[in-house]
Each structure stands twice: as C-alpha cells, then as structure tokens.
Amino acid sequence: MNILGKISKRALDVTASAAALVVIAPVIAYAAYKIKKEDNGPVFFKQKRSGINDEPFEIYKLRSMKVNNNSVKRENPYKEWNGYVPDDFVFKTTSDSNPNITNFGKIIRKYSLDELPQFYNVLKGDMSIVGPRPEIIEITEQYDHHQRQRLNVKPGITGWAQVNGRSDMNHGDKIKYDLYYIENQSFLLDIKIIWLTFWQVLVGKGSV
C-alpha cells in the first residue's frame, strides 16, 4: 500500500472508531451492567496479542468467561509445533458448550459484541478496522517465515479471512486469506469487508 493509501486507511480508522465508540457507548454500558450483575467480576478482558511487526499490545474485550482465580501460569501448549503452525489447526469453535462461558457471554459472543472495545485499540493505533485478526503470542511464536508475513500489517477488528469463513476456518486457510488481503489491500476492499462483516454480525455468525 502506498503512502496515500496508508493515510486514507488511518483516516478511516480514526473517524470510524471515534464515531463507533460514541454510538456503542450505551451498548457497552448495558453490557457492563449485565456482566457485573451475573458474577460481579471485571467488565473488560485484557490479553497480550501480536501486533504489526510482531510488536505485542494489549487487546480489550468485554468479558464473556467466568472469573478464573487460578494464578498458576500454564505451560505453552503450542511449543511442540517447533516453528510451524499446522494448517489444520483451528483455534476455537462457536460452540456454547464451554462451561466457563457466562450466560450473558454466550449472547455477546454470538453477535461479536465482546469485540466492541477493540474500537479503542483502533483509536490508539494498535489495530485497524480491517486487517488480519490479532493472534495470541504463544501461537505467533511458532510461525514459520511464510506465516509470519501476516504480521506485516496492523491487525484488524475484522478481515478478509473473517468474512470468508470465520470460526469454521482452519489455520492454513486463514493464512491464505490474510496474505491475499495484505497483497491486495485497498480502500474499496476495506469497505467491502466492513459491509460483509456488518451483515454477518446481523445474522449472528460466529467470529474467530
């Protein structure tokens, strides 16, 4: 993407995220009330993710899981991959059978409302509206050279992979779609992805 394209993309990010935060403020306020009412835990969930050029940043979500009081640091379950994430790996599914998901968490996950605080990440400059979804650091540590190319741009709230499969997609296909976006990114493609995302949220299709 040329300089003009980068300026246009950042302008879209700032304008859209600022407007979105104003519009969704009542939704976040109501969600905060419901989250607190259900188990009185924290409203927001924060986690380190890999950003552009593999720089870590803290992503924000509305908490959808029960509070975990276990402070023991778990061992990285992905280290056995030894520098290559398998193409058939799927990070999660849209199943609501996980007993750790709260009742209200099932609702906000179904409609991707748990992702709304990430507009603040966009406003800060950690993320973009459109781009590859930010991966957890334990997984990006195992990327090979080809897979690492998806870290060449800012991660996004939504992306080309999300509107072409979302939670049904394995890692190999996700990399393929993300690299396609990086090679073909444009203002018009971003607008198309935003529109397709809006439609998917309306029908409640699970996110990745």
Side-chain angles (χ1 to χ4, degrees):
M1 180 178 285
N2 58 33
I3 296 297
L4 182 59
K6 291 179 179 179
I7 293 174
S8 299
K9 186 174 179 67
R10 182 57 184 158
L12 174 64
D13 284 344
V14 172
T15 303
S17 59
L21 286 170
V22 173
V23 172
I24 66 178
V27 178
I28 292 181
Y30 177 74
Y33 164 74
K34 294 290 287 184
I35 291 169
K36 278 290 185 182
K37 184 178 180 181
E38 184 162 357
D39 67 0
N40 202 35
V43 171
F44 298 104
F45 169 75
K46 297 183 289 185
Q47 185 183 51
K48 290 287 186 181
R49 297 289 180 98
S50 292
I52 185 172
N53 298 323
D54 206 17
E55 287 293 324
F57 73 97
E58 202 162 52
I59 196 173
Y60 297 91
K61 290 188 174 188
L62 289 170
R63 182 174 60 84
S64 60
M65 304 283 283
K66 296 176 182 178
V67 176
N68 182 6
N69 294 318
N70 184 3
S71 60
V72 178
K73 183 177 176 60
R74 68 183 180 90
E75 187 176 355
N76 181 358
Y78 310 115
K79 66 180 183 180
E80 63 186 34
W81 287 339
N82 269 334
Y84 175 74
V85 182
D87 286 342
D88 60 356
F89 170 68
V90 178
F91 181 63
K92 69 172 187 176
T93 69
T94 55
S95 172
D96 288 335
S97 61
N98 188 334
N100 291 319
I101 301 176
T102 64
N103 292 328
F104 187 67
K106 294 175 183 178
I107 298 173
I108 61 177
R109 281 190 171 203
K110 179 178 180 180
Y111 294 99
S112 299
L113 299 180
D114 57 325
E115 311 285 356
L116 292 180
Q118 288 162 39
F119 283 108
Y120 177 61
N121 283 116
V122 175
L123 196 60
K124 285 177 60 185
D126 298 326
M127 295 174 61
S128 181
I129 298 291
V130 179
R133 283 295 295 158
E135 191 64 90
I136 63 173
I137 293 173
E138 290 86 351
I139 291 179
T140 59
E141 285 176 343
Q142 304 303 321
Y143 278 179
D144 64 10
H145 176 73
H146 177 70
Q147 295 166 340
R148 191 164 292 276
Q149 292 179 63
R150 77 185 296 270
L151 303 176
N152 290 341
V153 299
K154 283 184 183 180
I157 292 179
T158 186
W160 189 235
Q162 283 63 48
V163 298
N164 280 282
R166 309 187 87 188
S167 293
D168 307 316
M169 185 175 296
N170 64 36
H171 191 267
D173 287 338
K174 184 168 70 173
I175 292 291
K176 178 182 70 176
Y177 282 115
D178 284 342
L179 295 188
Y180 172 88
Y181 171 76
I182 291 172
E183 294 168 1
N184 297 276
Q185 59 182 316
S186 67
F187 183 81
L188 289 179
L189 181 56
D190 281 4
I191 296 299
K192 178 179 180 180
I193 292 171
I194 291 170
W195 165 249
L196 291 173
T197 301
F198 178 73
W199 174 251
Q200 287 185 337
V201 169
L202 283 181
V203 299
K205 188 176 180 182
S207 61
V208 296

